[in-house]
Amino acid sequence: MNLHSIKPCSVRAPQLSGEYVDWLNVERPLQLGDLRGKVTVLHFWTYSCINCLHNLRAIARVEEHLAGQPLAFIGVHSPKFGSQKRLPMVRAALSRHEIRHPVVIDSERRLWDEYGVSAWPTLVVVDAEGFVVGQAAGEAGAQELENLLLKLLEQQRERGVALNRAPLPVKAEPAPAGALAWPAKVLANGKRLFIADTGHHQIVELALRDDHQGHEVRRFGSGHPGLIDSSGERAELNRPNGMALDPVAEVLWVADTRNHAIRMIDLRSGEVRTVAGTGELGRWLPQGPLDALRVPLRSPWDLAWDSARARLYVAMAGTHQLWSLAPETGRLELLAGDGRAARVDGDAHLSALAQPSGLSLASDGWLFIADSESSSVRALDLETLQLATSAGGDLFVTGDEDGVGDQVRFAHPMGVAVGERELYIADTLNHRIKLLEPATGQVRAIFGNGHAITPRGAREEALPFLPMEADEGTALFFEPQGISVSERVLYVADTNNHRVLAIELDSGAVRKVYGGRWELAE
């Protein structure tokens, strides 16, 4: 947003109230009158958008730096996917992403239209007298936004506008407390299971019994967000997601997403160290090869280890690309995607992806990709470096339909896992697990019923947003993000239910592995 474009104008901000909107994170619905005397930032976003998530972190930093100033930050959640129109889904997202300011739910995108918004994310600035003074699409840096708001406040004071520092009636959604919080990814290896306990900023290692129930062995990460290399629980991570295992070297690689870094865990010594990223959000990435420790990354989301080539593949969600890291040399280079958010097949370097969030490597050299924002599954031939679409739609072609190839409809799939001769897909916003048969291209739903489900036994006041209940031993989910296959058992990170399930692929028997009992955080 250009500072020089901020000036008084005659366009009064449309009302934020009406029968077509709901409010979250507040004790009561807000009116524009509640914001009179405050410079207000409206953030039009949707919770599946990586650029929106980057904006949320920038806004949180500005909120902290400018606390006590006559400012208000209001999220306007305008959904991309059909399931995101439902209040329970947004409520879960506010807790998961630690959003503490008021959020208006614009399910039919009426406010989106009234404010003339055309892209996610968009910031709209309203002055203390209720007039729109600026709008910009895309990511805003924290310092850029802070400077803009301080400049605008100065202008308001010079004009003698009465400013209002009174706090808004904020009531943030509760955070869960329990064994797991928002587990995003799982990685199974024989009788052990690794869980990205994303909400607790930790990696959990479980020992698995014959009945697939897990016993916690150890955790990596202190439980506080940070970027500290150390051993075990003295190390710090920040919202870790995908993992990859080198079983020969006994090394676990971790996509430390909010740190914009790749971490390496030596499973023999318990040491955690950074192997890529600087801890800062990059603005873009050159093609490379690059010194991995000198390059600011952009939300690495999942990983796959290629033992034959000694390469670690990185789903760089924030640049819509795949990258390759050579641990021996510490060099990072582009593997696929030109940085556009699109579904374009062909030569890897000329192709395009859209927020890749899941990876799984097959033994024949195909790398499968959950390409979330294009709602498709992509496949990269590592020999020819040709990218193809295995199944699914496109940026705005979504749904929940079985079929073959382009007939198939997903909704923001975030996980893939190669089985013996098949591929499993976590179709996240459809709350389903689907199966793709590469030989025929056929895709069909095998677990989940398309509705968000919570297990019976959770405290009602802890998760008041869950719309349906089911017994623990049923393969039903609430936005599953990560999956892994080992010894004919499918492990599922049932993310919004804070648990991991095991499904025996031959019998269909389901058992809770870990998590799933939680209370309100104090």
Side-chain angles (χ1 to χ4, degrees):
M1 190 176 287
N2 187 346
L3 288 176
H4 300 294
S5 69
I6 298 300
K7 57 184 182 298
C9 70
S10 58
V11 179
R12 185 166 289 281
Q15 286 290 335
L16 298 175
S17 57
E19 61 182 19
Y20 53 85
V21 301
D22 290 295
W23 283 86
L24 291 173
N25 273 6
V26 285
E27 295 176 351
R28 58 173 174 80
L30 300 180
Q31 308 283 340
L32 277 181
D34 295 309
L35 306 176
R36 185 62 58 89
K38 299 178 183 294
V39 171
T40 299
V41 177
L42 303 178
H43 179 217
F44 286 82
W45 68 296
T46 184
Y47 69 79
S48 60
C49 158
I50 190 65
N51 306 101
C52 300
L53 300 185
H54 291 165
N55 261 8
L56 286 172
R57 302 324 307 158
I59 288 170
R61 188 176 300 179
V62 175
E63 286 179 301
E64 181 180 358
H65 286 182
L66 300 184
Q69 294 280 2
L71 297 170
F73 295 87
I74 306 292
V76 184
H77 189 268
S78 301
K80 173 181 177 180
F81 297 93
S83 68
Q84 293 178 324
K85 294 181 178 182
R86 300 184 64 195
L87 206 63
M89 313 308 154
V90 186
R91 181 173 278 135
L94 299 191
S95 179
R96 185 168 73 246
H97 295 298
E98 304 165 315
I99 299 168
R100 299 290 178 257
H101 53 250
V103 175
V104 58
I105 311 303
D106 185 27
S107 294
E108 302 304 321
R109 303 221 300 243
R110 300 276 191 91
L111 295 176
W112 171 283
D113 291 337
E114 289 177 10
Y115 277 86
V117 175
S118 60
W120 295 281
T122 291
L123 295 180
V124 177
V125 179
V126 180
D127 71 13
E129 296 177 291
F131 291 93
V132 174
V133 295
Q135 179 182 124
E139 293 182 24
Q143 192 60 57
E144 175 189 18
L145 179 59
E146 185 172 325
N147 291 342
L148 184 152
L149 294 175
L150 289 173
K151 179 68 174 178
L152 186 54
L153 284 173
E154 180 183 346
Q155 292 175 352
Q156 300 276 273
R157 291 186 180 102
E158 289 174 352
R159 295 179 54 239
V161 176
L163 298 179
N164 175 14
R165 296 175 183 267
L168 296 175
V170 174
K171 183 181 180 182
E173 292 298 323
L180 299 175
W182 317 108
K185 299 287 185 180
V186 287
L187 192 160
N189 175 249
K191 292 300 182 183
R192 59 182 174 177
L193 181 72
F194 299 95
I195 304 171
D197 189 5
T198 307
H200 289 147
H201 314 287
Q202 293 177 313
I203 300 297
V204 182
E205 180 181 352
L206 300 183
L208 297 172
R209 301 186 331 203
D210 289 341
D211 63 0
H212 314 306
Q213 286 193 316
H215 166 71
E216 185 171 316
V217 175
R218 54 182 168 171
R219 288 178 178 252
F220 301 95
S222 68
H224 300 285
L227 181 58
I228 295 178
D229 289 348
S230 189
S231 62
E233 294 189 36
R234 291 192 293 272
E236 288 188 354
L237 303 99
N238 196 343
R239 308 293 288 193
N241 275 283
M243 299 162 287
L245 178 68
D246 179 351
V248 176
E250 275 292 281
V251 166
L252 184 72
W253 311 94
V254 179
D256 195 7
T257 302
R258 198 180 280 178
N259 273 329
H260 310 288
I262 307 297
R263 316 294 290 278
M264 186 193 86
I265 301 176
D266 185 325
L267 294 173
R268 295 191 178 101
S269 68
E271 289 292 321
V272 180
R273 67 182 179 90
T274 305
V275 295
T278 65
E280 297 296 324
L281 171 64
R283 303 300 289 181
W284 62 285
L285 292 180
Q287 288 194 6
L290 309 164
D291 182 343
L293 285 170
R294 296 173 64 88
V295 180
L297 307 183
R298 283 178 61 83
S299 295
W301 211 275
D302 202 7
L303 306 171
W305 173 248
D306 186 343
S307 57
R309 298 173 177 83
R311 292 291 185 273
L312 182 70
Y313 303 126
V314 182
M316 201 75 71
T319 61
H320 312 292
Q321 293 173 316
L322 303 183
W323 285 73
S324 173
L325 173 66
E328 287 190 3
T329 64
R331 307 299 284 179
L332 186 69
E333 58 185 320
L334 177 65
L335 183 63
D338 63 6
R340 291 174 292 164
R343 197 195 102 173
V344 179
D345 293 335
D347 180 84
H349 286 189
L350 301 177
S351 67
L353 300 110
Q355 202 173 314
S357 303
L359 297 177
S360 189
L361 180 62
S363 59
D364 59 1
W366 282 91
L367 181 64
F368 288 94
I369 306 137
D371 200 32
S372 299
E373 278 297 280
S374 72
S375 291
S376 64
V377 173
R378 319 288 291 279
L380 178 65
D381 186 333
L382 293 170
E383 288 294 332
T384 65
L385 291 182
Q386 292 292 306
L387 183 68
T389 299
S390 300
D394 211 328
L395 288 176
F396 298 98
V397 182
T398 70
D400 186 7
E401 297 178 23
D402 295 348
V404 177
D406 287 349
Q407 301 170 355
V408 177
R409 294 291 176 264
F410 301 112
H412 201 77
M414 296 189 72
V416 284
V418 172
E420 292 178 350
R421 295 182 181 84
E422 65 285 329
L423 183 74
Y424 299 92
I425 303 155
D427 192 4
T428 304
L429 294 187
N430 280 325
H431 317 289
R432 294 187 191 270
I433 305 300
K434 296 182 177 179
L435 182 146
L436 185 154
E437 298 174 354
T440 64
Q442 181 73 37
V443 174
R444 57 188 173 88
I446 55 173
F447 303 112
N449 65 3
H451 300 284
I453 305 291
T454 179
R456 292 189 178 95
R459 280 181 53 186
E460 182 180 354
E461 66 270 29
L463 290 173
F465 46 80
L466 291 166
M468 298 181 68
E469 289 188 344
D471 293 328
E472 287 281 5
T474 54
L476 299 170
F477 321 101
F478 189 0
E479 295 191 356
Q481 292 189 17
I483 50 178
S484 182
V485 178
S486 179
E487 300 178 352
R488 296 295 295 164
V489 177
L490 178 68
Y491 295 90
V492 181
D494 189 11
T495 302
N496 288 4
N497 279 327
H498 315 289
R499 64 178 181 171
V500 174
L501 297 179
I503 306 173
E504 294 182 0
L505 293 171
D506 295 325
S507 68
V510 181
R511 180 174 290 276
K512 185 184 74 175
V513 178
Y514 204 63
R517 296 288 181 182
W518 56 89
E519 305 260 335
L520 282 171
E522 296 297 330

